[in-house]
Amino acid sequence: MEIRKGRLIEFRGSWGSGLGTLEIEDSETGEREHVPCDNGATVRALEAAFGNVITPAHTANGDGYKGREVYWSLDELGLVLAGFTPIEDGLPDLAG
């Protein structure tokens, strides 16, 4: 599994469909990727890692995650987000 480093830009999700997209700017290339993810699980993970994500109206409009650096990876098929770890919680050599 490839572990990459990037900066969180934006989360977009649809409560009804359960699908979400996490926009991540790659630290090496500077390119932005729209990474498919599970809406609910990703919002809860962002809230647990950074706080100020879930608003009182139960939306993911909080800015607590924006601009934060993470190590992240795709699932074993390379299709959806497998997970992320805030840089401050990871090992210095985690991304290669």
Side-chain angles (χ1 to χ4, degrees):
M1 175 183 302
E2 179 184 12
I3 299 174
R4 299 168 62 186
K5 183 178 176 183
R7 185 170 60 93
L8 300 176
I9 304 298
E10 186 75 42
F11 172 80
R12 294 174 196 87
S14 171
W15 181 81
S17 72
L19 301 175
T21 303
L22 190 58
E23 184 177 352
I24 304 173
E25 181 179 88
D26 187 273
S27 292
E28 286 187 22
T29 66
E31 292 182 30
R32 291 185 176 188
E33 295 187 43
H34 297 271
V35 181
C37 58
D38 180 293
N39 183 45
T42 303
V43 169
R44 288 188 297 274
L46 289 167
E47 178 68 32
F50 305 114
N52 191 30
V53 174
I54 301 173
T55 67
H58 297 286
T59 63
N61 293 332
D63 292 334
Y65 67 93
K66 292 181 181 178
R68 302 294 296 263
E69 286 192 299
V70 295
Y71 296 113
W72 66 280
S73 60
L74 295 171
D75 69 351
E76 57 275 351
L77 297 176
L79 299 175
V80 298
L81 182 70
F84 67 86
T85 300
I87 292 290
E88 56 270 15
D89 294 344
L91 299 172
D93 62 346
L94 194 58

